[in-house]
Amino acid sequence: MTADIIDGKAFAANLRAKVAAMVPAFREKAGRAPGLAVVLVGEDPASQVYVRNKHKTTVEAGMESFEHRLPADTTQDALTALVEQLNADPAVDGILVQLPLPKQIDESAVLATIDPDKDVDGFHVVNVGRLSTGMHGYVPCTPLGCVMLLKDRLGDLSGKDAVVIGRSNIVGKPMAQLLLAENCTVTVAHSRTAHLPEVVRRADIVVAAVGRPEMVKADWIKPGATVIDVGINRVPGAEPGKTKLVGDVDFAEAVEVAGAITPVPGGVGPMTIAVLLRNTLVAAHRLADVPYDEKAI
Ligand code: NDP
């Protein structure tokens, strides 16, 4: 058996196009474009690439992009003051503070300063609480993107056995909450889970969000299962001095057993920015009091 490849790149392009198609109507009703503010502190190279991509895709979708780049030695107070200024700015619908932050900054204190109604990353405890109690809020982009891919592939997820490997606040925990909301039977595995391969073998849906290159092997996967690989790991490439990206799943092996699988790159990765734009569009409608069908995208 060879798994179907879930094309996250194409799905994300389609999602971005749907968002872009809805921007003109919003502009007309609200008299302005949806606005996303991204704050980058320091010079982490990966973060710089992410922020550049976010700016580019935001502009391409017809939205306003506000970039704030602060030096690595920025103080907590200075960053808090900027977030408060963005909270009060009516042109800004979504605020994203790029993580990780430099050591002198208390990350959770900064996230707590963001207005929950502009928290398009869904990391504020108010939105975490809304997600876990089934209220409207903002859901972290990567796990929401994973659920979109799963529903596109499988339709109704009710009654499926899902195993999420990883319990971070950014991916694992919100992923588990979303799958629970879709009526899956959810197991959350982590570094202390006993007999992990056996646990994973029970799953109709496997979501790997670990950060360990190619950890999940073919014999961990139930034949026909749907495998979502969130991992992004840079490892040495075939040629000396070159690197390549791999996921948390041993793709070459797993593709022979799974029913469907996301590749790395080109699977979950492109979904994150597309969902960020979608969340910003939703925030803009809510803040400007423009009616919006939340099921539209
Ligand atoms: P974290 O490091 O915050 O969390 C990793 C999780 O994996 C932890 O819960 C940890 O368990 C668990 N874990 C570690 N080792 C093992 C093991 N041997 N067996 C079982 N579980 C283990 O990572 P993130 O959640 O932030 O990210 C996970 C991966 O997803 C990374 O590769 C990251 O780059 C990628 N990522 C991709 C995104 C995208 O856009 N596609 C966005 C965000 C992340 P414990 O809690 O016990 O320590």
Side-chain angles (χ1 to χ4, degrees), residues 175-263:
M175 187 72 227
Q177 289 289 355
L178 284 168
L179 291 169
L180 198 55
E182 294 295 333
N183 302 313
C184 291
T185 304
V186 183
T187 302
V188 184
H190 46 78
S191 67
R192 312 290 174 87
T193 297
H195 313 299
L196 184 59
E198 262 171 54
V199 171
V200 176
R201 239 177 337 255
R202 292 202 302 260
D204 305 308
I205 293 169
V206 180
V207 180
V210 186
R212 295 195 180 259
E214 301 177 327
M215 184 184 85
V216 177
K217 300 296 176 190
D219 63 358
W220 299 25
I221 295 166
K222 178 158 94 178
T226 303
V227 178
I228 303 290
D229 190 351
V230 183
I232 302 177
N233 308 287
R234 193 164 282 284
V235 297
E239 289 170 43
K242 291 268 162 81
T243 60
K244 61 172 181 171
L245 291 182
V246 298
D248 291 339
V249 177
D250 190 330
F251 182 87
E253 280 188 8
V255 76
E256 300 298 333
V257 181
I261 186 167
T262 57

Side-chain angles (χ1 to χ4, degrees), residues 12-206:
N14 190 31
L15 181 56
R16 290 199 311 270
K18 283 186 189 164
V19 169
M22 292 179 75
V23 168
F26 174 84
R27 267 179 189 269
E28 203 169 297
K29 291 190 185 110
R32 64 176 181 83
L36 173 66
V38 176
V39 180
L40 175 63
V41 185
E43 268 130 44
D44 178 68
S47 294
Q48 285 185 329
V49 173
Y50 294 144
V51 168
R52 221 177 10 253
N53 286 343
K54 281 167 189 165
H55 173 76
K56 185 169 159 274
T57 47
T58 305
V59 171
E60 278 169 5
M63 298 185 181
E64 203 71 64
S65 168
F66 307 98
E67 249 186 72
H68 295 267
R69 290 170 180 267
L70 303 180
D73 61 358
T74 297
T75 62
Q76 182 91 30
D77 286 351
L79 182 54
T80 303
L82 173 59
V83 171
E84 281 167 353
Q85 180 196 317
L86 297 171
N87 283 343
D89 187 341
V92 172
D93 299 295
I95 302 170
L96 182 148
V97 177
Q98 185 66 46
L99 303 179
L101 290 166
K103 286 192 177 48
Q104 76 276 13
I105 305 227
D106 175 351
E107 214 161 86
S108 40
V110 173
L111 296 180
T113 312
I114 298 173
D115 178 347
D117 294 334
K118 294 190 176 187
D119 172 37
V120 285
D121 244 349
F123 295 156
H124 192 289
V125 286
V126 165
N127 284 317
V128 176
R130 285 170 173 162
L131 174 60
S132 64
T133 54
M135 289 165 67
H136 272 289
Y138 293 100
V139 176
C141 302
T142 303
L144 184 53
C146 293
V147 170
M148 288 178 179
L149 293 178
L150 281 168
K151 287 172 79 169
D152 183 58
R153 163 80 197 174
L154 298 171
D156 185 10
L157 306 184
S158 272
K160 305 266 185 218
D161 261 312
V163 171
V164 178
I165 320 174
R167 56 172 166 182
S168 72
N169 292 337
I170 292 172
V171 189
K173 284 182 195 155
M175 187 72 227
Q177 289 289 355
L178 284 168
L179 291 169
L180 198 55
E182 294 295 333
N183 302 313
C184 291
T185 304
V186 183
T187 302
V188 184
H190 46 78
S191 67
R192 312 290 174 87
T193 297
H195 313 299
L196 184 59
E198 262 171 54
V199 171
V200 176
R201 239 177 337 255
R202 292 202 302 260
D204 305 308
I205 293 169
V206 180

